[in-house]
Amino acid sequence: MIREVIIGVGVALTIFLAFFGVNVFPFLLLTAVLVALSMMVDRKGIATTGSKESAVAHRIDFQQIGGQENAKRELREALDFLKYRDKIKSMGIRPLKGILLTGPPGTGKTLMAKAAATYTDSVFVSASGSEFVEMYVGVGASRVRELFKKARSLAKREGKDSAIVFIDEIDVVGGKRGSGQGHQEYDQTLNQLLTEMDGMQTTQNPFVLVIAATNRVDMLDPALLRPGRFDRQIKVDLPDREGRLHILEIQTKNKPLADDVDLDVIAKETFGFSGAQLESLTNEAAILALREGKDKIHLQHLRDAVDKVLMGEKTGKKPTEDELHRVAVHELGHAVTAENVRPNSVAHITIAPRGNALGFVRQVPENDAYLYTKEQLENQIKVALGGAVAEELIYGNRSTGAQNDFMQASHLARTLIHCGLSRLGIVDAENLQKNILDEEIRRILAEQEEETRKLLASYKDRLESLSNYLVDRESMPGEDFRAWLKGKSDIAQREVAATTA
Ligand code: ADP
Ligand code: MG
Ligand code: ZN
């Protein structure tokens, strides 16, 4: 309305000025720019609200969620309360109002909430806890009110009799009330949320179900977890190997894979990856393949993508030729030790600088292990020290490149001690005297270092020649490395030829 008046006056004024011989061109130009700007703002506004409201635009169903079999089953069971709520009502069962999804980021909680909307044929509206937090008191509370109102009106408009309100990062508003740096604004927002949930009835049409997500359930105000509120908690954990395979299959469905790709190999090598990281891995692999002008994604692309997701993009760092040789020797030291203490454990060796690392040996995790024995921990210490020990063996000195390795090794030694696996026996970790702890860490490291040195000494000459090869090639798959170790590869043959010549 106001806009129309301004435009009208503007046009009149321009004509008036032009009539008196004023140069109106700059005005016209300015007007054109302003109009263009305001149109852009409009467009953006529509896009952001539109993408959140429309339930049809992104129909996600449970089949598009890999792994998470338990979580999916529990969620479906809970949703059946909503789906068959007439029956539930006739049995006098209290309706389910809230479901809380807990777990680390990128494991598919948002996907689950969307799939829940599809499964129950509900409309889907969402907001994130951080959106409710503003400087002005009361804004958060009124946003919560609006969110629920929006859910109801959207359901009516689309002719559905239920709505799902998804609140991501609920810990931001649902933290313990009045505790610590408790903030009045957060409290009001939380109170409003509880009020909305308490007011919901089964008889209400449309029925509203709240699904919330957090990775910090311990932080939540207990009032949220009371019966009649979020009384279902479903854990959405990092996927296990089978789950990772399933996710990789889903994420590569639309991508051309070469015959040499065995997704199970990648699933095995990606312990600890979330669904989101696996998604990013498949995407990166496709980009790498494209960059190389290939029309299919090969195993090597997927492996490089694992490195990239773990370590970041290759950096522009350009080590000197000498440094490259040293890095190669260092990484091979890790790799030879790893294969010796745990055969078939080396997945990939690379000396391309990524993130903060100059090189890196990726190991196959021990079958998704959650418990380690003393021997396994000691072996991991050897692998961590292998880099520095190899440098010393070949160059007679060490470099700063092993700083991280030493931190890792000391951490492992500490774990040994705290778990009662050291010579100190069972200890009270909290009251252990610092000098005794330090002494024992030093002893463990020295012992493992000595064993690693003995092991690598027998590889001295071969390490040198393989490092030349690695400097040429930049990276090496685990299989090639094992073939070399067993003296069965072309590289080994060449080595033999060179020494006999
Ligand atoms: P969260 O909400 O737990 O942080 P999201 O649901 O937002 O995780 O996941 C982000 C992206 O990661 C998804 O859009 C999807 O591409 C991928 N993803 C995460 N988990 C899975 C899974 N279990 N199956 C398939 N894809 C997944
Ligand atoms: Mg999410
Ligand atoms: Zn190292």
Side-chain angles (χ1 to χ4, degrees):
M1 186 47 199
I2 295 172
R3 191 146 84 181
E4 273 82 50
V5 172
I6 294 176
I7 292 175
V9 171
V11 169
L13 192 69
T14 316
I15 294 173
F16 181 74
L17 289 172
F19 188 74
F20 284 98
V22 178
N23 181 5
V24 292
F25 185 70
F27 287 102
L28 290 176
L29 196 69
L30 187 72
T31 314
V33 170
L34 284 177
V35 167
L37 268 178
S38 80
M39 276 167 71
M40 271 163 68
V41 169
D42 274 359
R43 184 103 41 82
K44 222 173 128 207
I46 290 165
T48 45
T49 52
S51 70
K52 265 186 202 156
E53 283 183 25
S54 126
V56 211
H58 37 53
R59 277 192 92 78
I60 299 276
D61 58 40
F62 283 115
Q63 279 181 4
Q64 286 157 267
I65 303 174
Q68 308 298 358
E69 294 309 324
N70 282 333
K72 282 198 281 188
R73 186 175 37 73
E74 280 179 47
L75 180 57
R76 260 194 302 249
E77 276 169 19
L79 291 172
D80 286 342
F81 276 73
L82 173 62
K83 220 171 158 165
Y84 309 111
R85 65 180 183 285
D86 290 342
K87 201 160 163 209
I88 297 292
K89 206 165 62 185
S90 72
M91 299 292 285
I93 298 172
R94 170 159 56 71
L96 184 67
K97 293 177 178 179
I99 299 174
L100 185 64
L101 304 174
T102 68
T107 45
K109 296 183 291 298
T110 308
L111 288 182
M112 294 250 185
K114 287 181 180 169
T118 310
Y119 182 71
T120 55
D121 194 29
S122 308
V123 294
F124 181 81
V125 297
S126 74
S128 173
S130 48
E131 289 170 33
F132 296 121
V133 181
E134 284 233 342
M135 283 195 293
Y136 306 106
V137 174
V139 172
S142 78
R143 285 210 181 133
V144 169
R145 225 170 5 246
E146 271 162 31
L147 186 67
F148 281 79
K149 213 156 95 193
K150 190 164 90 182
R152 289 191 197 101
S153 65
L154 191 67
K156 276 197 190 117
R157 203 164 73 209
E158 296 197 2
K160 311 239 164 150
D161 54 12
S162 57
I164 286 183
V165 171
F166 177 60
I167 303 178
D168 209 350
E169 301 182 79
I170 192 159
D171 45 289
V172 177
V173 289
K176 298 196 172 88
R177 276 177 296 186
S179 70
Q181 1 128 314
H183 194 293
Q184 200 196 355
E185 168 66 355
Y186 295 47
D187 292 1
Q188 286 199 11
T189 309
L190 177 57
N191 286 338
Q192 185 60 39
L193 179 62
L194 296 176
T195 308
E196 293 285 346
M197 291 183 79
D198 289 346
M200 298 185 315
Q201 305 292 335
T202 8
T203 46
Q204 217 163 20
N205 201 334
F207 183 75
V208 179
L209 174 72
V210 185
I211 299 183
T214 179
N215 54 351
R216 328 192 46 186
V217 66
D218 53 307
M219 296 276 293
L220 293 185
D221 194 293
L224 273 172
L225 307 176
R226 244 180 254 147
R229 286 162 182 175
F230 291 100
D231 40 13
R232 280 297 156 105
Q233 264 190 48
I234 298 175
K235 246 194 157 146
V236 188
D237 257 330
L238 288 173
D240 59 10
R241 179 168 164 190
E242 211 174 301
R244 294 196 295 274
L245 176 61
H246 192 184
I247 295 171
L248 286 167
E249 281 165 357
I250 291 170
Q251 300 294 357
T252 53
K253 211 165 259 168
N254 63 350
K255 298 182 174 69
L257 296 181
D259 288 339
D260 70 343
V261 172
D262 178 0
L263 289 178
D264 195 36
V265 171
I266 301 298
K268 197 172 160 191
E269 292 177 8
T270 44
F271 177 73
F273 273 49
S274 69
Q277 281 176 312
L278 292 168
E279 192 274 334
S280 145
L281 181 165
T282 58
N283 196 51
E284 289 300 336
I287 293 172
L288 290 174
L290 185 73
R291 252 186 227 160
E292 283 180 16
K294 302 267 164 62
D295 50 12
K296 288 203 167 142
I297 301 169
H298 292 261
L299 185 62
Q300 191 56 44
H301 300 127
L302 287 162
R303 285 197 154 143
D304 283 341
V306 176
D307 287 354
K308 179 162 174 196
V309 173
L310 274 178
M311 309 287 293
E313 179 74 85
K314 282 187 193 173
T315 53
K317 278 184 203 157
K318 280 250 176 296
T320 64
E321 191 72 16
D322 285 348
E323 281 171 334
L324 277 178
H325 272 276
R326 192 183 271 274
V327 174
V329 164
H330 177 106
E331 299 309 329
L332 288 171
H334 287 306
V336 171
T337 318
E339 276 298 313
N340 267 281
V341 298
R342 192 157 63 87
N344 298 316
S345 64
V346 172
H348 199 204
I349 309 170
T350 171
I351 56 163
R354 274 182 199 280
N356 287 325
L358 288 174
F360 157 68
V361 174
R362 190 154 49 71
Q363 288 181 265
V364 183
E366 222 147 347
N367 280 331
D368 286 19
Y370 299 102
L371 282 176
Y372 295 98
T373 63
K374 173 171 189 257
E375 196 191 4
Q376 282 169 326
L377 288 171
E378 284 176 349
N379 284 341
Q380 288 181 18
I381 295 177
K382 288 192 197 99
V383 175
L385 298 177
V389 171
E391 280 185 59
E392 195 175 61
L393 205 65
I394 306 289
Y395 298 102
N397 61 20
R398 293 177 177 183
S399 68
T400 52
Q403 198 184 357
N404 256 323
D405 296 339
F406 293 157
M407 266 164 52
Q408 200 191 345
S410 329
H411 179 78
L412 287 161
R414 204 177 291 259
T415 306
L416 272 172
I417 296 167
H418 287 168
C419 295
L421 300 172
S422 76
R423 233 178 16 178
L424 299 176
I426 299 171
V427 295
D428 173 5
E430 275 165 34
N431 295 318
L432 193 61
Q433 270 178 34
K434 194 172 176 316
N435 58 336
I436 297 184
L437 178 73
D438 289 345
E439 172 77 16
E440 183 62 9
I441 290 178
R442 239 196 317 271
R443 196 193 62 79
I444 293 171
L445 294 184
E447 196 174 289
Q448 296 309 319
E449 184 186 353
E450 190 45 41
E451 289 200 27
T452 311
R453 189 173 295 119
K454 271 189 227 148
L455 170 74
L456 289 180
S458 55
Y459 288 91
K460 186 168 183 239
D461 298 336
R462 298 187 69 201
L463 269 179
E464 235 171 327
S465 67
L466 187 61
S467 70
N468 292 328
Y469 174 84
L470 188 56
V471 168
D472 269 359
R473 293 275 302 266
E474 194 174 281
S475 75
M476 187 173 195
E479 295 89 61
D480 292 3
F481 174 68
R482 273 183 285 282
W484 169 81
L485 210 57
K486 292 182 185 132
K488 283 191 195 138
S489 67
D490 303 350
I491 325 160
Q493 308 287 304
R494 248 180 282 139
E495 236 173 74
V496 175
T499 44
T500 49

